[in-house]
Amino acid sequence: MQSETSTPLDYDVTVCGGTLGIFIALLLQLKGHRVAVVEAGKLMGREQEWNISMKELLELVELGVLTKEDIDEAVTTEFPGCRAGFKNKEVSPLKGGYFDNGIGYECVTPNVLNLGIAPAILIENVARRFKEKGGIILEKSPLKGVVISDSLGAAIDMGDDNEPITSRLILDCMGNGSPITRQQRYGLKPDGVCAVVGSCASGFDKATNLIGDIIYTNTEITDKAENGKLQYFWEAFPVGIGRKGAEPGTSDTKTTYMFCYMDASEDRPSLASLMDDYWDLLPVYQPSIDDPEKDLDVHRVLFAYFPTFKDSPVKPQWSRVLAVGDASGIQSPLSFGGFGALTRHLGRISSALSEALEHDLLHKSDLSEINSYTPNLSAAWMFQKYDC
């Protein structure tokens, strides 16, 4: 890699996984470090909106990652808040509690996940600012391997078509499918799985497409026979209202998700089975439609599973490598992770990393203090256990 008298390493920090990693890359670049982003494909945001709260976006403004102009440009949907509900059948609106109505309880949480932002716009602006500040983006550079020297640094193999690069520190922002995290957790069975299926479609009732849903259930436990029993939950987010001149009540488009929590037994139902249940139950959840195939114009279908481990966030197994965001397992076992799992810790983690780089505290024992035990994850696991 280098000798003690050779030229310096190429970068202070190499961020692997640019879609979400670009945010922490910009923040570290602003702190005066030499940063590169390595992305397997093209660095760009997906078409599907991300839902987040204004409070979390303004925290990124305070950190210098975003400007208020970035927010105004990227936010394409805004609505008052989201409903949460635990019911045994679909009755809306619902007043009182279960002992009053025999059905359950619902409430509205204002200003929670009530903004829909266009990832493509947001990431384009952040990536442009990153490059203006001297950052380097290496696209179409899939990670093939990493060689670590505790005393010298890290070398990153990006395949036969790309020259390897060297760096003092590697940040793994490649999500829960990260090959680095998978190697570290090799052979370990997840303690839980959050499985989610859904779609973004038009054709819903405009007059009631005014707020979102989070942690909402309207059915009793579903018996899948040999595949176990599951409690289905729903999320829904209006699309295209509240911004850019689009008044509430003018859009028939929304994103709906159905998700459940389960253990990682091989007997649990497949995503295909859950998708079948999603289409069957969608008219119950959204009574304005009768037949999704006939009534909806489906723009995209979504499906994924998120493995979760109680031993999280994962401690670094190697020096000079730190997992950030979903790759570390820092997201709650009740959530899907993603953008929020990274941004909620961005200020704390970036400050700690900057200090570690300044004082050359890059041994795995030093980096483990950054991804320390998070007590609120233990509380979330208690809820996950009873939601299975």
Side-chain angles (χ1 to χ4, degrees):
M1 186 184 304
Q2 72 168 7
S3 68
E4 294 294 343
T5 58
S6 67
T7 57
L9 302 179
D10 297 323
Y11 304 102
D12 294 319
V13 184
T14 298
V15 177
C16 298
T19 302
L20 292 178
I22 189 66
F23 295 92
I24 194 167
L26 173 57
L27 193 48
L28 290 172
Q29 188 74 26
L30 291 172
K31 291 179 180 292
H33 306 291
R34 297 172 298 128
V35 184
V37 172
V38 173
E39 172 58 40
K42 185 173 176 59
L43 180 57
M44 58 186 293
R46 63 180 189 177
E47 292 185 16
Q48 184 70 29
E49 286 185 346
W50 288 339
N51 283 87
I52 196 168
S53 307
M54 180 61 78
K55 177 178 180 293
E56 293 170 310
L57 289 178
L58 291 178
E59 289 172 355
L60 297 184
V61 173
E62 292 179 7
L63 291 171
V65 175
L66 298 180
T67 66
K68 290 185 177 180
E69 290 74 21
D70 290 332
I71 294 177
D72 289 338
E73 183 181 1
V75 174
T76 54
T77 299
E78 184 173 8
F79 47 92
C82 289
R83 177 182 59 164
F86 296 84
K87 310 175 185 179
N88 54 29
K89 62 180 180 180
E90 181 56 38
V91 176
S92 296
L94 185 66
K95 295 182 179 181
Y98 177 79
F99 293 106
D100 301 313
N101 55 44
I103 297 171
Y105 172 80
E106 71 176 20
C107 65
V108 175
T109 54
N111 302 317
V112 173
L113 300 183
N114 64 314
L115 300 180
I117 60 175
I121 295 174
L122 199 67
I123 290 173
E124 181 182 359
N125 287 343
V126 173
R128 183 184 66 251
R129 191 169 299 116
F130 174 66
K131 290 188 287 187
E132 289 173 352
K133 298 298 181 180
I136 301 296
I137 298 176
L138 302 172
E139 297 179 309
K140 298 182 180 179
S141 302
L143 179 71
K144 296 297 184 180
V146 177
V147 177
I148 299 293
S149 167
D150 285 7
S151 59
L152 299 179
I156 303 170
D157 178 4
M158 297 184 296
D160 296 336
D161 297 331
N162 299 290
E163 288 293 323
I165 61 174
T166 56
S167 183
R168 295 175 61 203
L169 175 67
I170 295 173
L171 293 185
D172 177 5
C173 295
M174 293 182 285
N176 59 53
S178 160
I180 296 176
T181 299
R182 286 190 174 188
Q183 180 176 341
Q184 182 168 347
R185 293 197 190 269
Y186 181 76
L188 295 178
K189 184 178 180 179
D191 296 296
V193 175
C194 177
V196 57
V197 294
S199 68
C200 179
S202 300
F204 296 99
D205 178 37
K206 296 179 182 179
T208 57
N209 191 23
L210 303 175
I211 64 171
D213 284 339
I214 53 172
I215 308 293
Y216 182 89
T217 184
N218 59 359
T219 56
E220 296 184 349
I221 292 174
T222 299
D223 190 345
K224 303 288 287 183
E226 68 273 9
N227 296 133
K229 297 180 179 181
L230 301 175
Q231 179 66 65
Y232 289 141
F233 296 90
W234 294 89
E235 279 192 346
F237 302 108
V239 176
I241 62 171
R243 288 288 179 121
K244 318 297 183 187
E247 295 295 327
T250 61
S251 173
D252 66 348
T253 303
K254 69 171 64 181
T255 301
T256 55
Y257 301 99
M258 188 187 80
F259 59 99
C260 62
Y261 307 106
M262 62 183 83
D263 60 27
S265 169
E266 62 182 12
D267 296 327
R268 296 297 168 256
S270 65
L271 285 174
S273 174
L274 297 181
M275 184 65 79
D276 288 339
D277 286 351
Y278 165 80
W279 294 119
D280 290 340
L281 293 172
L282 187 59
V284 178
Y285 172 50
Q286 298 289 329
S288 69
I289 63 170
D290 296 316
D291 184 341
E293 187 173 356
K294 296 178 180 179
D295 298 340
L296 296 180
D297 177 14
V298 178
H299 305 301
R300 63 190 69 90
V301 173
L302 315 158
F303 53 91
Y305 68 91
F306 300 86
T308 53
F309 297 84
K310 291 182 178 178
D311 181 20
S312 294
V314 64
K315 296 289 185 181
Q317 184 172 327
W318 304 280
S319 297
R320 300 184 181 274
V321 179
L322 183 69
V324 177
D326 288 358
S328 72
I330 203 168
Q331 79 276 13
S332 163
L334 299 177
S335 75
F336 307 156
F339 186 48
L342 177 71
T343 59
R344 292 179 193 120
H345 303 273
L346 198 58
R348 175 183 64 83
I349 289 177
S350 61
S351 295
L353 286 173
S354 185
E355 184 176 343
L357 288 162
E358 289 170 5
H359 298 281
D360 203 30
L361 299 173
L362 302 176
H363 188 268
K364 61 183 179 180
S365 61
D366 301 315
L367 296 177
S368 66
E369 297 298 321
I370 298 175
N371 273 359
S372 58
Y373 170 68
T374 309
N376 63 313
L377 289 183
S378 295
W381 272 105
M382 289 191 294
F383 287 108
Q384 193 270 359
K385 178 180 178 181
Y386 290 104
D387 285 339
C388 286

